[in-house]
Every structure is written in structure tokens, then in C-alpha cells.
Amino acid sequence: MNAPVLEIDDLTVDFHMPEGVGCAVDHLSLTVENGETIGLVGESGCGKSMTALSILGLIPQPFGKVRFGSIRYAGENLLTAHSERLRRIRGSEIAMIFQEPMTSLNPVLTIGRQVAEPLMEHKGLNKTDAYAEALAWLEHVKLPAAREQLSQYPHQLSGGMRQRVMIAMAMVCRPRLLIADEPTTALDVTIQSQILSLMMGLKEELGMGILLITHDLGVVAQMARRVVVMYAGQVMEEADVEILFEQPFHPYTQGLMQSIPRGLKDDRGRKIRLNEIPGNVLPITEKVGGCKFSTRCPSVFETCINHHPSLKTISGGHRVRCWLLDDPDRRR
Amino acid sequence: MSRYFLKKLITLIILLFFVSLTVFSILFVLPGDPAQIILGLNASAETLANLRAELGLDQPFWTQYTDWIFGLIAGKSGNSINYGVPVTELIRSSLSVTGPMAVMAIFFAVMLAIPLGIYAATHHNRPGDVTVMFFSQLGLATPEFWLGILFILLFAVQWGIFPAGGFPGWDVSVWGSLKALILPAVALGAIRASILVRLTRSAMLDVLGEDYIRTAYAKGLKRRTVVYVHGLKNALVPVLTILGLQLGQLLAGAIIIENVYYLPGLGRLVFQAIGQRDLPVVREVVLFMAAAVVVVNYLVDFAYAAVDPRFKLQ
Ligand SMILES: Nc1ncnc2c1ncn2[C@@H]1O[C@H](COP(=O)(O)OP(=O)(O)OP(=O)(O)O)[C@@H](O)[C@H]1O
Ligand SMILES: [Mg+2]
């Protein structure tokens, strides 16, 4: 059998800041099989982006450091890979789409150049061929008036168009794994669903795996086969998407479910979220003895505060990190 | 875009008008009678009065000012009291010294500061960065004339590689003239470079923290491409701005350095003219220098548009 396209094992990422050491990703494990979409969800600041960035060795310097764990791409450990090898993988075998298409595209380089760049870098195409291929991809992602956009600059495009450009840029080298970090968060709802279905289509076409990062469970329900729920750098619950939506176990997952926006939009067309989980995510420099969610959990009891729960399997592929597993009557 | 530049052009003209008024007023109230200086202390009151009438110095302020300005607009430059030739002629000949020197100084400053600034930014807080910043601090604290004298002591007196001063003239010896300008240009440029290197560094530090730099790395581009193409092009706008502004300081520095090196340039011209109360020369050279600074900054705006596509929209 083929090795999974991505296998993260016990990944631990620290930030060594002047105000103290913080743990942004805490012994996180997850697997993306070939051609599979995994959703990585969690509130803002729980370490989703740091997980994604550590895959490509792009954790913010000089503070960020991978302390522990391994990240395997098709069996090859990226954390110990030579930097030149890692560079060769970036953009050609593993591509990444970022949240803010405005700031993630270079304002002073043309769309054509930015989309063609990976082809020239990794496939050795000359400028003419690379631009032709870039144009084909821009048309493929349904960028309106693609040919004219080649010589345009990012500020001349709308948010949705820019995200299409980002996607084309990620796709040109036909990667085996796409890491999409909140690809639609900055977009309004109609554009959002267009972009999501575009990504689904491309996934089928190229057979690539997707690690889809979002804090929107609605997006995950639409896209992913499996979901990993993250809090404070840790996996809190992991399950196939149907199971997670039908029988969410962790109080945190349930809280996230209740805050899924249901069709309501504000005057700018963005979804309104209801029932946010009360309390705030603790700063990563804060040390918590027991369960990291215990400070906000509605069902918290003594064990939660004093002992750290481990991730346990409750049924095939459904894993949960919660003391309620041992003491279900305590749930409120 | 053309409307933008038209607006700038009008600002430029108004600005030059105010510069002319300021220069004129200062020279008007400044003590020292040009007629007295020309004729010497023993001149009789009558000859003095005659000469003052001849030079128009007996006229009221506004008459003198408007005569001058309308003369300039009509293309009539004043005559130097001292040399008896039109000031434009003096400007032309001294510009052939100051112009190349300024260009060489800017070129030297840019070639030194931009690579060093990028190096410092990419080695942020490491020994290389600290070293560059140390020398930049040293440069900021060094007066031009001191550096000029130091260069003379080292390169002219000690090693005899360059002349200690003077200027043979381009028609006499191109190489000799060039050689005469190298030390003063490097002295001038080194001081500019110490400011420019800081600016390049901080602009690059800002840019290298941007999202699109992370995108560029995520695409698997080489570090060199990321820094010099994706980064530098974005950092160039603030660098260009300061580069334009530095021309003014460069011309001010030229006054000093041309005196250190005995160069017959604009700076020395205006310096001597002030001492001799050669008013037509002083005010027209100052106005010319101001115009040069303003026009260069105006041109910098065109350079922005070439570097940053967003600029065209504003
Ligand atoms: N450059 C940095 N320096 C220090 N700490 C950082 C830095 N970037 C992120 N962190 C810390 O790492 C933690 C995880 O951040 P991360 O960006 O992965 O969160 P996220 O889940 O992606 O959130 P969001 O939904 O807001 O994007 C945060 O709590 C933050 O405090
Ligand atoms: Mg994030």
C-alpha cells in the first residue's frame, strides 16, 4: 500500500518569545490519505496555521521552532529533509493557499508572472511556455477575462478573483497535497461556495489530498471526509465527518457546532455566528495543568482541572480527548 | 494620472515662487552693501550712491523683486557683480563639476547602501546586521568635511593615488577631472549611504514580514528570488523617496566639500558669492539648486509609478 500523502506524528511547535515560551502545536497527529480531504477546525489561535506552516518549514522565524515529532510526505520526513529538497517540494508537490488573497499576492508583480513562477522554478519551463500554461490554468479556474488578467496586478482584481489566482498558482505544478488555510474566510458567501466547488473539482481531477483548515464547520461538512478538531494546539476530537456531525462527543466540538452560522448574514453578506463558546482561548504562554479546555468547559469537574486527558479511541476512527469518556454522567 | 502630475506641476511652480521670495528677502535684509564691497571702504558717498542706483539697489523691495522675477521669466538672467558675466554662464560652468560629482556620489551611495541594507535585513540582529548598523551610525555622526580631509590625508598625501584638490577641467583632461571628483564624491556619498542603508534595512524588514513573502517561499522559490525580486521591488518605494530628498542634502554637502577640495562647482560659487555680496549670483544659484531638488523629487514620482503599479490609481 502507498504511504499516506501526509502523516503528521506528535508534532510539537514552540514559540520562544521574549515574554516566555509558548506551545502553539502540542503533540498533534493527523493523516491525510492520497486523494482525501481532511478538515482541520478550531477557534482562532488554536494552532491551525502553525500546523500547516510547519509542514513546509515556514514557521515564523526567529521565534518558532519544531520541538518534537515528524511530518512525512509520502513516507519522507520533511523535518529532517535537506533545505534544498524541501524547497523543491514546496509549490510543486505540496502547494498552499492562504487566507488573505489580498496580502498573499505580491502587489508589484503581475498575475501572469506570479502564476507562471512555480512552473519556471520547478518544471524548467521557459517564460513563454510558463505563461501559456499559467493562462490555461487561469482559464481552468474560471478567472474572467483570463488573458487580460495576465498583465494585471492584484489590486485590480476582486477578492474572489484573487483567490482564483491563488488557486491557479497552487495548481500549476499539479501537487499531490494541497494545504488550504482558510481559503474562503475573507470572501462573501456566494463567492465562497464557488471557490469551494472549484477546489472539489480540482481535487477529483488531480487526485490530490487536501488539508483544509477553517474555523467554519459548515465548510468542513461540505468538503471533508474526516475532521480533526483542534484546541490550544491539541487534537480534541477526530472522526469521519458524518459521525462528528451526528455524534459530536467533546463539549468543545459541541460548542463549535452550536456556533455554526445558519443562513443569517450581516449587511456585508457575511455569516453571523451565534452562540460563540463563552470565554477566550488562553494565551499560549499560559500553562494549564489538566485539560486545556477545562477553563471554558460547561461540564468541567475536578479531574479535568488536575489531570491531563489523553486521546482515546471510542469507535473505529473516532478519537476523543475528554474525561467525560470515563464519567459520562457528568455531562451538562 | 496626468491630472495628478499636472497638480504636482502647479505645486512645484508655487513652491519655487516661495523659494525665490525667501531667498530674495533674506539677502535684502542681510547686512553688507554690495556697492560698498565692490568699491572698497574708501569710496565716496557719491560714487556709492551712483553705483547703487546703477545696480537698482536704491529701489524699494517689491520693485527690485518683481524686476528680478519678471526678468527671469523672460529668460533674462542677472549679471554677476563680481565677474560681470550672466549668472547662467557661471551656473553652466560650475554645474559641469557639481553635476557629475553629485551623480557619482548618489551612484556610490546606492551601490553601497542597497546591498548592505538588504544584507542587514536578511541577517536581522545577527553579527552582520550589527556591524552594518555600527558603521552606518558612525557615518551618520561623521561630518562631510572631516571625511573629506581624512580622504585627502590618506589617498592624496599618504598614498598619492588621488589629487588633494583642484579641478583640471573636462576639456583639459577627462581622466584627470574624473579623478579629481572621486574622493569628494565618495566622501559625500558615504554620508548619504549611512542614511540610505538604514532605510533600506527597515523597508526590507517590513516587506520580508509580509504575507506575499511567505507565499513566495511556499511556491518553492529560491531565497535569492524571494529577497531580490519579491522583496526588493516592494521596498524600493520608500527608498526612492528618501533618495530624492537626499539630493537637497547632497547639494548642501557639496558647498562644504567643494571648499575642502577646491572644486569650482556650484557650492563654491555660491559660497564665494555670499562672501562678496554678489547678490544676483547668490539668489539665482540658490533658486537653481532649489529647482533641481524639487524637479528631482517630481521625477521620483514617475519612478514610483514604474516600481509600484498601485501608484497609478491615486
Ligand atoms: N509570529 C508569531 N509569534 C509568536 N506567536 C505566534 C506567532 N504566530 C502565531 N503565534 C501563536 O501561535 C498560536 C497559534 O497560531 P495560529 O496562527 O496557528 O492559529 P490559527 O488556528 O491559525 O488561528 P486563526 O484562525 O486566527 O488563523 C497563537 O495562539 C499565537 O499566539
Ligand atoms: Mg490561521
Side-chain angles (χ1 to χ4, degrees), chain A residues 102-110 114 117 153-155, chain B residues 118 199-214 216 225-241 303-304 306-311:
Chain A
M102 179 69 228
T103 56
S104 297
L105 289 170
N106 195 317
V108 302
L109 298 178
T110 61
Q114 295 189 60
E117 247 175 347
Y153 292 90
H155 70 270
Chain B
I118 295 172
L199 194 92
T200 309
R201 172 181 178 268
S202 73
M204 274 309 269
L205 277 178
D206 284 349
V207 166
L208 291 178
E210 294 284 347
D211 287 353
Y212 52 77
I213 294 297
R214 191 183 56 191
T225 318
V226 176
V227 172
Y228 282 88
V229 179
H230 285 247
L232 184 59
K233 204 164 175 220
N234 279 284
L236 231 41
V237 168
V239 172
L240 274 175
T241 312
Y304 285 158
V307 168
D308 190 340
R310 283 166 302 182
F311 189 75

Side-chain angles (χ1 to χ4, degrees), chain A residues 4-8 28-41 51 177-181 183 199 203 208-214 219-221 223-229 235 237-241 317 319:
Chain A
V5 66
L6 180 71
E7 207 174 4
I8 299 180
L28 177 131
S29 302
L30 66 80
T31 302
V32 183
E33 299 288 347
N34 289 302
E36 178 188 57
T37 304
I38 293 285
L40 183 60
V41 297
T51 307
L177 175 67
L178 175 68
I179 302 166
D181 190 353
M199 284 175 57
K203 177 191 105 93
M208 66 185 171
I210 299 183
L211 179 62
L212 177 68
I213 295 173
T214 175
V219 170
V220 165
M223 298 279 292
R225 196 183 72 72
R226 281 180 66 74
V227 187
V228 175
V229 180
V235 175
E237 185 160 6
E238 177 185 350
D240 287 352
V241 69
R319 297 191 292 161

